[in-house]
Each structure stands twice: as C-alpha cells, then as structure tokens.
Amino acid sequence: MRPRRYLQLDVFADRPGAGNPLGVVLDAADLDAAAMQAFAAWTRLSETIFFLPPTSADADYRIRIFTPRQELPFAGHPSIGAAWAALETGLAPATGTLVQECAAGLLPVRVEGRGADRLLRLRAPDAIARPVPAQAQGLLARVLASLRQGPLLPALWNNGPAWWLVELEDAAAVRALAPDLAAIDELTRATGAVGLAVFGLAADAPDHAMAVRAFCPADDIPEDPVTGSANAAIGAALLAAGRFPGQGRYVASQGRELGRDGRVVVERDDAGAVWIGGRVQPVIAGSATW
C-alpha cells in the first residue's frame, strides 16, 4: 500500500462548511472498481471521485464517481469539484475551458475568475424523461400522498443518474417537507433511480429563485446536501415545460435544512443544453492509504 493524494472539498459553497462535501483521490490509476467502491463506502460522503489518465485525446482529465453504494456515470457536485481539483493540482491546464471525461462522455467546463472567486460551469448530459413504470404507480402514489404538489407532473428524468422530480407548490413547501424516506427508498430501488428531488419557486428570496431538496436513502444518504445532477434535471424539466425561470439563468438554494445552504447556478444555452455551476472551497489536503 502507498499514500495517495487526497482532498476533501465543499462544492456549491461560498465558504467551508457549506455546500456538499466531496472526497477526491488524485492518484487512482492502479485502483480497480472494487477498491474505489470500498473507499467511497468508507468515506460515507455522498460521492467520492477518482482521477485516472484520460482515454480520449480530447479530454483534459478523467474521473470515476462513486456513492457509498454504486458508481454513477455522471454527478454534478463531483464534476464541479473535479474541475477545481484538476486546475489546482496541475492535472489540467489553467485555461478558460476544460473537457472532463467520465462514464457519461466528454463534458465541457467553463472557468471564470480565479481563487475564491472562481466560478466553474459544466454542461450536463442531456436529460430524458422516462415513462413511469406500471409497477411503480402505487409506490409513487405513496410518496406523493402527503405532498403539496406544484403544476409540473412528477416524472422520472435521467441525465446519467435517474431522478424522480416532484414540483411542490412553493419554496415554503420544500423547506417544510418531512419526507417518507422508507417510501422513497422503495420507489427508487424499484425504478433504478438514485433518489427523489423536490423543488419549488422562491418568489420573494433575494438571492435564489428555487429551493431544492434531494433524498437518496437507498444509497445510505437520507438527504443529499446539494445535488448538481438533480438541479440539472430540474432545469431540463422546466425548460421542456416552457417554464425555465429568469432570463436563461437562475440560482437554486439547496442544503439549508442540513445547515449547509449551497448555491447552484442553472443556465440554458442557445442550443437548449443545461449547464450547472458553482464555487468550491478546499477543506482537507493530505494523503490516504488504501
């Protein structure tokens, strides 16, 4: 065994202790999937990423992404954190654009600013709405039974991971929600989803247009602090419904209920793609033996 460079970052955060924690293993070329999964389970963070040499000449770096239970083809806060780590450690050139390689493909990254003011924005994989499986109708009804729903119909969206998306009537309903985690666990396991995300418009908030919460009990993450892939899927669902907030860009607040209030910038471009962005705070730099 040998020491490997290890970082822990807070992503979608304006200060340490906010946003979503991310484990980062920088020297992972000789680790197999089982070792990566075991390490991710040991950290008990919502995601841990592992840097590997790119397989595409067009990529600046490559990562694999693991929850405590499974590997994901794409996830938002790991991708934003990966771009920050690649720049800070010299694994990627310090330019205004990067290309990330992950299991979901090659994803462009835009870099604005430097240091603590650096904003990283990543083009999320296209999100696709999936039909509600017949066997899931009863499970979905159980989850929805006590929710104050908004106008968008609940649906299963996939942009790498699959997310159940449920609009609530407003941000206050999102903040006050006491979820039925057992029902969410059963629904997500039955449909191959990573979790369920609820969202509601924040009409009077000065610094955000949307409140979001995400629940992943099947991955031993009762509530995820801040979830980039879910926010990207929500943006895609609102765009498809002709209800994308703002002038092509809005800010979502997530994690307040866990004491980690984070901010996700959600944008749509002229081609109809959804981008997610945020800032990153370094918290731990050291080494891990695994």
Side-chain angles (χ1 to χ4, degrees):
M1 294 186 290
R2 63 181 179 84
R4 303 172 190 278
R5 290 180 294 166
Y6 178 76
L7 306 174
Q8 191 163 309
L9 312 173
D10 282 339
V11 182
F12 298 125
D14 60 1
R15 66 190 187 282
N20 199 348
L22 174 70
V24 181
V25 178
L26 291 164
D27 308 304
D30 62 333
L31 291 178
D32 60 19
M36 294 180 196
Q37 183 65 79
F39 187 80
W42 176 80
T43 68
R44 296 188 63 81
L45 299 173
S46 57
E47 279 105 2
T48 301
I49 61 171
F50 300 84
F51 276 88
L52 303 144
T55 63
S56 168
D58 295 323
D60 291 296
Y61 60 91
R62 177 166 71 104
I63 59 168
R64 293 179 71 174
I65 306 165
F66 288 81
T67 76
R69 185 175 68 93
Q70 62 181 319
E71 183 172 8
L72 299 178
F74 166 73
H77 99 276
S79 296
I80 296 296
W84 186 95
L87 289 168
E88 288 292 318
T89 62
L91 293 176
T95 62
T97 59
L98 301 171
V99 177
Q100 171 178 294
E101 181 182 355
C102 58
L106 299 178
L107 304 178
V109 181
R110 296 172 182 165
V111 184
E112 298 178 8
R114 296 176 178 272
D117 293 327
R118 181 188 287 144
L119 176 67
L120 297 149
R121 296 181 294 153
L122 177 136
R123 185 195 184 282
D126 293 336
I128 300 170
R130 304 292 190 190
V132 177
Q135 71 274 18
Q137 295 284 356
L139 297 173
L140 179 61
R142 179 182 162 197
V143 170
L144 300 176
S146 61
L147 302 187
R148 295 154 46 194
Q149 294 183 56
L152 198 66
L153 290 177
L156 183 62
W157 284 77
N158 190 304
N159 59 3
W163 283 98
W164 282 100
L165 303 183
V166 180
E167 183 180 11
L168 301 188
E169 62 183 13
D170 56 22
V174 172
R175 303 291 189 198
L177 177 64
D180 184 340
L181 292 176
I184 294 171
D185 186 311
E186 192 172 356
L187 174 66
T188 54
R189 288 182 187 274
T191 54
V194 71
L196 179 140
V198 297
F199 60 98
L201 292 174
D204 300 323
D207 62 347
H208 62 276
M210 187 82 66
V212 176
R213 296 175 69 184
F215 308 98
C216 310
D219 276 291
D220 199 22
I221 305 164
E223 181 166 357
D224 195 37
V226 192
T227 316
S229 59
N231 275 281
I234 291 166
L238 292 170
L239 184 60
R243 295 181 49 223
F244 198 93
Q247 301 299 313
R249 174 181 173 131
Y250 69 89
V251 176
S253 163
Q254 187 183 350
R256 180 182 298 179
E257 292 68 27
L258 300 174
R260 301 190 64 94
D261 200 3
R263 293 293 185 272
V264 183
V265 178
V266 185
E267 299 177 87
R268 59 175 174 85
D269 62 23
D270 293 339
V274 174
W275 294 66
I276 53 169
R279 292 181 168 81
V280 178
Q281 306 297 324
V283 179
I284 295 171
S287 62
T289 302
W290 197 259

